[in-house]
Amino acid sequence: MTTALITGATAGIGAAFARRLAADGHDVVLVARDVKRLREQATELHDRHGVEAEVLAADLSEEEGIAAVEARLSDPKRPVDILVNNAGFANKGRFLDVSMADELKMLTVHCEAVLRLTSAAAAAMKGRHRGAVVNVASVAAFVPRGTYGASKAWVVQFTQGAARDLAGSGCV
Ligand SMILES: NC(=O)c1ccc[n+]([C@@H]2O[C@H](COP(=O)([O-])OP(=O)(O)OC[C@H]3O[C@@H](n4cnc5c(N)ncnc54)[C@H](OP(=O)(O)O)[C@@H]3O)[C@@H](O)[C@H]2O)c1
């Protein structure tokens, strides 16, 4: 039995990842902020697919939330075989219309959280010679689309560089 941890697992693309991974027989760890939505989804995935569905409420724009997910990914007693870094959002408004606090929040979720969670997961996977990380970017990474596109361009470059450095380690 393998375990997949999905961030932003309760809506949109992350929910689709969670449904597909559960349907394929993976136990899942669901990460998002809204505990009620997390519990509802965990119940649905458990009842429909018979997998274990764990809930981890965490705000990935906050130190405490990132640290909690890092700790879960690093726990040797409960290995995570697949990490999907999906949580993300776009601020409404053009450059200079968005507050610096909101810009930094987006960068924390798209860049700092992705860096730290990928690092925690990949270090554990490398030790086990097995595992996979999926980082969700956007087509906006390849066109000029303000700070959102810039943060997703970071995700693409970071992921390609990490994949190259981890080649042959068993972690893809
Ligand atoms: N939708 C698109 O057209 C599109 C296109 C290209 C790329 N993307 C990328 O795909 C990813 C998913 O997008 P989506 O449109 O599917 O998102 P969505 O439907 O808005 O769902 C976002 C998910 O992330 C969680 N989330 C949001 N902020 C969070 C935070 N600070 N900490 C932890 N969890 C958080 C939400 O749950 P809570 O609110 O409960 O935390 C929810 O589960 C994002 O990275 C996005 O940039 C989306």
Side-chain angles (χ1 to χ4, degrees), residues 57-83:
D59 184 342
L60 295 174
S61 70
E62 302 281 347
E63 171 57 33
E64 193 185 354
I66 298 174
V69 184
E70 274 181 320
R72 178 63 186 82
L73 290 165
S74 304
D75 184 348
K77 294 194 197 101
R78 297 180 297 161
V80 172
D81 306 283
I82 300 169
L83 165 65

Side-chain angles (χ1 to χ4, degrees), residues 7-14 31-34 37 58-61 85-90 105 109-110 136-139 148 152:
T7 70
T10 51
I13 295 168
V31 178
R33 293 166 299 181
D34 184 325
R37 266 205 310 187
D59 184 342
L60 295 174
S61 70
N85 277 310
N86 161 80
F89 62 94
K105 193 171 177 174
V109 176
H110 290 182
V136 176
S138 169
V139 71
Y148 175 81
K152 291 299 188 177

Side-chain angles (χ1 to χ4, degrees), residues 4 12-13 24 29 36 39-40 52 56 69 127 134 137 167:
I13 295 168
D24 286 349
V29 183
K36 184 170 173 282
R39 288 199 178 125
E40 284 169 1
E52 293 300 317
L56 176 45
V69 184
V134 176

Side-chain angles (χ1 to χ4, degrees), residues 28 37 40-41 82 86 92 114 126 129 138 158 169:
V28 288
R37 266 205 310 187
E40 284 169 1
Q41 202 202 19
I82 300 169
N86 161 80
K92 287 194 172 58
V114 170
K126 216 176 148 185
H129 309 291
S138 169
F158 163 66
S169 70

